[in-house]
Amino acid sequence: MKLLLGVLVFIMTMIMSVPAMAQDCPAGHKCIPEEDVEVFVQVLRERKCLQDEKPKFQLDPIVIITDVDGRVYYSGAQPVPYTVKMTWCSYDVSAQGKLEVAVAKREPPVWGFRFRPKFAGSFLFVDAFKQDTAGEAIDVGILWDLVYYKQFNLNVSTGFRSVGAGLGFDITKNFGAFGAYAFSWWTLLHNPQAGLYFSFW
């Protein structure tokens, strides 16, 4: 309120101090041009608006998406920069900037110890020649995955016909092939063994 009074006093002072043309201003008065009065009124209105109103901000929404492969997509970067808009009385301002997103992702280890049982089906090559039929050389059982390095893993095998140890290779996350040394307790023979396995994790 004090500010408005100050502006009014300033205007009155200007009126009293600025000379006007004789035909527009009566004798004994100080006058200012009409266009200057309109400017002063506009300034007062603008000042009152700035005091009474609050600025309004409009912010772009930020969307961050992480897909199943761990890739990150987000809005607020090129070609769609992050935008802020401000409206306040006669002011209309906008600004653009790039949004930086930092993502921390824990990388799984490439080797280590683990316990992962796997269902396996295999073939005992020596038993295939010693038995009456090749079907008697087929073995099913469990592989005990104990140590891994990337897709490779060391396994102990316990089957319906044999026990042994060997090396496996993960073809997919839950499926792979293996080769091993096995001892057949049906024929009491040493066997090279090859087969496929499936795990639940």
Side-chain angles (χ1 to χ4, degrees), residues 100-175:
E100 297 289 343
V101 176
V103 179
K105 181 180 176 183
R106 184 176 181 180
E107 293 291 337
V110 297
W111 75 277
F113 298 95
R114 67 183 175 191
F115 177 73
R116 185 173 69 150
K118 300 177 287 191
F119 175 76
S122 63
F123 192 77
L124 302 170
F125 289 93
V126 174
D127 278 14
F129 294 102
K130 297 295 183 180
Q131 300 286 59
D132 295 333
T133 62
E136 295 182 65
I138 296 175
D139 194 11
V140 293
I142 302 294
L143 290 183
W144 307 96
D145 187 339
L146 304 175
V147 180
Y148 71 95
Y149 174 74
K150 295 185 178 179
Q151 288 88 4
F152 296 95
N153 44 79
L154 293 177
N155 304 275
V156 173
S157 63
T158 53
F160 180 69
R161 297 180 182 274
S162 66
V163 61
L167 180 67
F169 179 79
D170 290 338
I171 299 173
T172 67
K173 182 179 179 181
N174 302 98
F175 175 77

Side-chain angles (χ1 to χ4, degrees), residues 13-97:
T13 303
M14 293 294 295
I15 292 174
M16 299 300 294
S17 61
V18 177
M21 301 194 60
Q23 66 270 23
D24 296 331
C25 190
H29 293 77
K30 301 291 184 180
C31 302
I32 60 173
E34 183 178 350
E35 57 269 18
D36 290 344
V37 174
E38 292 177 357
V39 172
F40 291 142
V41 172
Q42 183 63 33
V43 170
L44 286 173
R45 287 175 178 170
E46 182 70 20
R47 187 68 183 182
K48 186 175 186 303
C49 178
L50 294 175
Q51 287 180 332
D52 295 342
E53 302 291 334
K54 293 183 179 180
K56 298 178 181 179
F57 294 92
Q58 181 180 353
L59 308 179
D60 278 354
I62 299 173
V63 180
I64 300 176
I65 299 173
T66 303
D67 66 9
V68 294
D69 295 323
R71 294 171 296 189
V72 177
Y73 305 91
Y74 62 95
S75 63
Q78 295 296 341
V80 185
Y82 182 72
T83 304
V84 179
K85 296 181 180 179
M86 185 200 75
T87 304
W88 193 13
C89 297
S90 62
Y91 296 97
D92 191 359
V93 181
S94 64
Q96 292 183 343

